[in-house]
Amino acid sequence: EKSLSLSITKIENEITALNNKGELLIRERHVLEAKISSMRHEQASMSKVAQTLAREEKAVLAKIHDTEIEKATIQNEMARLELDQLNVTQHNISLQQKRKEELAALSDVELKIEAQEAAISRTNDEIDKKTAKIAKLNRQYNTMVEGYEGEEP
């Protein structure tokens, strides 16, 4: 569990660092592309066709940038989901261990209950035997008393 926790923390840190580096590189590339685009468009005497193409290029680059940002966002969410999955796995492992411990404790209690029930059964058997013996002795006493014509002792 500790190694899994350490692995999770390490992966989280690596993912965060890589995501930050990726976003920084994307931003830097966007800045460079914007500068290149500006320089191209600042050239003297551009024709209307060239201006139209420049506008279309900017629009396409904007769509590409939006798509890249969306991709990075999705990758971040996937990384978070992987971490959640690891956390759930770790939690399941700890729950399984706790279940094993509880089942073992329950088994011990059941053994104790069975032993106590056996002891109670033995005690009840002894009580039944003694009750039967007392009943027999009472019958013998009554028989002896009936046979004796004098006063009862």
Side-chain angles (χ1 to χ4, degrees):
E1 287 184 33
K2 288 182 181 180
S3 65
L4 190 54
S5 294
L6 291 174
S7 295
I8 289 171
T9 304
K10 183 178 178 183
I11 291 171
E12 287 176 343
N13 292 338
E14 289 175 0
I15 288 171
T16 303
L18 289 174
N19 285 337
N20 290 339
K21 286 180 182 179
E23 290 176 8
L24 181 63
L25 288 174
I26 288 171
R27 284 190 204 116
E28 288 177 0
R29 194 180 94 225
H30 291 177
V31 169
L32 290 174
E33 287 174 350
K35 286 181 181 178
I36 290 170
S37 181
S38 300
M39 289 179 167
R40 282 186 188 158
H41 302 309
E42 292 175 358
Q43 291 178 353
S45 67
M46 289 174 65
S47 69
K48 288 188 177 187
V49 173
Q51 291 175 355
T52 303
L53 288 175
R55 282 193 298 269
E56 289 175 1
E57 180 184 7
K58 282 184 181 180
V60 169
L61 283 175
K63 287 181 182 178
I64 290 171
H65 295 165
D66 291 343
T67 304
E68 288 172 342
I69 290 170
E70 185 179 343
K71 177 184 172 187
T73 302
I74 290 171
Q75 288 174 336
N76 286 342
E77 184 61 28
M78 288 174 57
R80 281 187 217 102
L81 290 173
E82 288 175 9
L83 288 175
D84 287 346
Q85 181 184 12
L86 289 173
N87 286 332
V88 167
T89 301
Q90 180 183 7
H91 185 65
N92 284 344
I93 290 170
S94 70
L95 288 176
Q96 287 173 350
Q97 181 63 31
K98 183 167 177 83
R99 179 180 173 262
K100 285 179 186 177
E101 292 169 1
E102 294 297 330
L103 287 175
L106 179 63
S107 178
D108 290 344
V109 169
E110 286 176 345
L111 289 175
K112 288 178 183 177
I113 289 172
E114 288 175 8
Q116 290 176 348
E117 286 176 344
I120 289 170
S121 178
R122 282 192 303 274
T123 304
N124 284 342
D125 289 345
E126 291 174 11
I127 290 171
D128 289 342
K129 287 178 185 176
K130 289 179 181 179
T131 303
K133 186 175 181 181
I134 290 172
K136 181 180 174 186
L137 289 173
N138 281 337
R139 284 191 301 275
Q140 287 176 353
Y141 176 76
N142 287 336
T143 304
M144 288 172 36
V145 168
E146 287 176 6
Y148 180 71
E149 303 236 348
E151 293 183 20
E152 284 189 35

